[in-house]
Amino acid sequence: MKIALVYYSGTGNTEAMANAIADELSGKADVEIIDPATFGPGDIAAYDAFAFGCPAMGSEVLEEDIFEPMFTSIEGSLSGKRILLFGSYGWGDGEWMRNWEERCLRDGAVLASDPVIANEAPDDEAIEALKKAADALIA
């Protein structure tokens, strides 16, 4: 199984989450870590499943300069695709993730698990949730 692990990280917290996913899937799937600035609709067909990571920015939105434009460009290609959503936040209550999850469901994506969020750096509980979500992505 080939997984696209596409994430944006400003402080390193979402990157730590992406690394936990990559570590869990090591030896279980072919994982390609991809910069969102280089990913687009033409890349969708090359992968069996997707893990998308983005922290909360501004007033609880996806990062607006790189990640949001990329994600908007691929939304029309997500129907029927298995995905995992993850990200970190430093304020608010996770509204950005709830909105992102609803958006993906409207797009017809198949969420492999509940999204995983971490307040700042991922703690042990978040790492365990990421491992379980990663395994669900390839199940």
Side-chain angles (χ1 to χ4, degrees):
M1 176 173 269
K2 192 168 183 184
I3 309 291
L5 178 51
V6 185
Y7 74 91
Y8 172 89
S9 186
T11 63
N13 293 334
T14 301
E15 180 177 19
M17 297 176 80
N19 290 337
I21 292 168
D23 290 347
E24 180 64 21
L25 294 178
S26 179
K28 300 177 184 178
D30 179 12
V31 179
E32 188 174 340
I33 297 173
I34 305 170
D35 183 325
T38 65
F39 192 76
D43 300 312
I44 297 290
Y47 300 94
D48 301 305
F50 306 85
F52 294 109
C54 187
M57 303 293 281
S59 60
E60 288 212 62
V61 296
L62 297 174
E63 189 279 328
E64 298 171 292
D65 294 326
I66 298 169
F67 197 90
E68 176 64 40
M70 176 279 301
F71 200 78
T72 298
S73 79
I74 66 167
E75 279 188 276
S77 304
L78 292 180
S79 183
K81 303 295 183 186
R82 287 183 65 79
I83 67 170
L84 164 62
L85 303 177
F86 65 96
S88 61
Y89 67 102
W91 62 90
D93 67 354
E95 178 184 2
W96 105 102
M97 186 59 75
R98 291 190 301 276
N99 292 340
W100 191 14
E101 178 182 20
E102 289 172 14
R103 184 174 166 186
C104 291
L105 291 171
R106 281 193 309 269
D107 293 335
V110 177
L111 272 67
S113 72
D114 289 336
V116 180
I117 62 175
N119 189 345
E120 303 294 346
D123 58 13
D124 291 343
E125 184 178 329
I127 296 295
E128 271 310 303
L130 287 162
K131 290 177 179 180
K132 287 179 182 175
D135 287 335
L137 185 62
I138 61 170

